[in-house]
Amino acid sequence: MSPILQCLQQSTTMMSRRKILLLVLGCSTISLLIHQGSQLSWYPKLFPLSCPPLRESPPRAKHTAVAFLKTHKTAGTTVQNILFRFAERHNLTVALPHPSCEHQFCYPRNFSAHFVHPATRPPHMLASHLRFDRAELERLMPPDTVYVTILREPAAMFESLFSYYNQYCPAFRRVPNASLEAFLRAPEAYYRPGEHFAMFAHNTLAYDLGGDNERSPRDDAAYLAGLIRQVEEVFSLVMIAEYFDESLVLLRRLLPTTEACLKLAMPEVQYSNYLLRKQKRRGGVRSRPEPVLDNPPPRPIRALPRISQGT
């Protein structure tokens, strides 16, 4: 065979081998793509930049009637945000305060159903600050309502209260140099029962739960034991701020709440206003002057600097 023919034959053999190699690589690549197809995408959705779209039919919740007693300086605002989003997700009506009460149900007055905005009645859910009154809440909420609250270790909570309400609670204002240590050395020198916001200086949790914060457990242990029994009887879940993650798991099991990414950054007051507008539109309520309550309470505190854990 001539050298030219040998060279052509060798070239043909090399080209055939390359084609075979390319064919094998191509088939392997296609097989890998088919095998991994469920995890790959042909368009840039691997790293979503926003919340996932809502499904048309959300999973049915175990309970859609919920009353959350939002206590002070216990991470209650975080729980409130979750419940507000849960309510919107399931198209539930949220009880919101009457305008004269601003964003709280006329706290520190005892709760009354009259403090609820008429556009948000009858409600499925309630989650704004109030002083607990079982009879009034049962008159307002559906019969199958589940009651939830959150508590915090009292010493840590009081330190947060002292910092947050230092300029608004008279007992705290009397303390020289706003010193917590000075208050704790002689609290009776600064505390006056019956003053506005006096409850922040003495047994705040007992007051929020509807109890008598002037009853000392040292002098009347039976009363405190009775208050604890009432809490255990009424509330299906008592969350603990120091065990917040575990409390959220229990809350999910109680409801279950599946929200993860809906308007979570919107603050309490703005989100309350947003819900009010939405529920007015849904109920066809036209704008009209709101009735004025008899003897409206002092206007609650607004725009305080948040120094420590959320309310």
Side-chain angles (χ1 to χ4, degrees):
M1 183 180 295
S2 65
I4 297 177
L5 290 176
Q6 287 180 344
C7 184
L8 289 173
Q9 186 176 14
Q10 291 175 356
S11 299
T12 303
T13 302
M14 291 178 63
M15 292 179 64
S16 298
R17 289 176 179 175
R18 289 176 181 172
K19 288 181 179 178
I20 292 173
L21 180 60
L22 290 174
L23 180 62
V24 171
L25 290 174
C27 292
S28 300
T29 302
I30 293 174
S31 176
L32 179 63
L33 289 174
I34 293 174
H35 182 70
Q36 300 291 337
S38 61
Q39 301 180 14
L40 298 177
S41 176
W42 297 106
Y43 45 92
K45 285 189 177 179
L46 291 177
F47 304 100
L49 299 178
S50 60
C51 298
L54 296 177
R55 289 174 290 182
E56 291 297 326
S57 300
R60 183 174 178 82
K62 292 181 183 177
H63 299 288
T64 55
V66 182
F68 173 61
L69 176 60
K70 184 173 184 278
T71 52
H72 289 82
K73 313 310 294 178
T74 59
T77 296
T78 303
V79 181
Q80 180 195 52
N81 284 337
I82 293 172
L83 292 175
F84 275 177
R85 278 62 172 179
F86 175 85
E88 185 184 14
R89 179 78 169 95
H90 293 278
N91 200 31
L92 306 176
T93 299
V94 178
L96 297 172
H98 190 280
S100 61
C101 293
E102 295 198 359
H103 65 286
Q104 303 181 5
F105 288 109
C106 290
Y107 187 91
R109 293 170 62 181
N110 292 342
F111 176 75
S112 168
H114 297 296
F115 298 160
V116 179
H117 197 294
T120 65
R121 298 181 61 172
H124 300 94
M125 184 171 291
L126 176 147
S128 299
H129 273 307
L130 57 85
R131 188 183 186 202
F132 187 73
D133 187 307
R134 182 176 182 179
E136 281 294 301
L137 284 169
E138 289 179 346
R139 188 161 70 91
L140 173 73
M141 302 297 295
D144 59 343
T145 297
V146 293
Y147 291 85
V148 178
T149 190
I150 184 168
L151 307 180
R152 182 182 176 187
E153 193 276 320
M157 188 190 73
F158 184 79
E159 183 176 0
S160 182
L161 284 167
F162 188 87
S163 298
Y164 192 84
Y165 291 107
N166 192 268
Q167 298 301 314
Y168 300 91
C169 175
F172 296 159
R173 287 204 306 264
R174 294 188 182 99
V175 183
N177 302 317
S179 169
L180 176 60
E181 291 76 12
F183 181 87
L184 294 177
R185 281 195 298 267
E188 64 281 354
Y190 309 105
Y191 177 70
R192 307 285 189 275
E195 286 184 326
H196 190 53
F197 293 141
M199 79 293 300
F200 292 139
H202 192 220
N203 294 343
T204 310
L205 282 176
Y207 185 87
D208 286 351
L209 289 165
D212 184 354
N213 62 316
E214 297 298 331
R215 304 278 285 272
S216 171
R218 291 176 298 183
D219 302 330
D220 193 351
Y223 176 78
L224 178 61
L227 180 61
I228 293 174
R229 284 195 300 270
Q230 291 178 29
V231 171
E232 292 176 340
E233 176 186 346
V234 172
F235 291 93
S236 299
L237 174 63
V238 177
M239 304 173 69
I240 302 297
E242 286 76 14
Y243 296 92
F244 194 74
D245 292 345
E246 295 86 343
S247 295
L248 285 182
V249 172
L250 295 176
L251 180 64
R252 179 180 179 180
R253 290 178 180 176
L254 178 67
L255 300 181
T257 174
T258 57
E259 318 321 288
C261 195
L262 297 174
K263 304 183 183 70
L264 288 178
M266 190 179 292
E268 170 190 356
V269 177
Q270 288 86 334
Y271 197 83
S272 297
N273 292 334
Y274 160 76
L275 282 179
L276 178 59
R277 292 194 301 270
K278 181 175 180 178
Q279 292 173 171
K280 278 183 174 180
R281 290 196 300 269
R282 191 172 68 203
V285 178
R286 296 181 179 179
S287 297
R288 58 180 182 272
E290 299 292 347
V292 178
L293 295 176
D294 295 333
N295 300 319
R299 298 176 71 83
I301 299 171
R302 301 195 314 181
L304 297 180
R306 295 185 177 272
I307 298 175
S308 54
Q309 186 171 359
T311 55

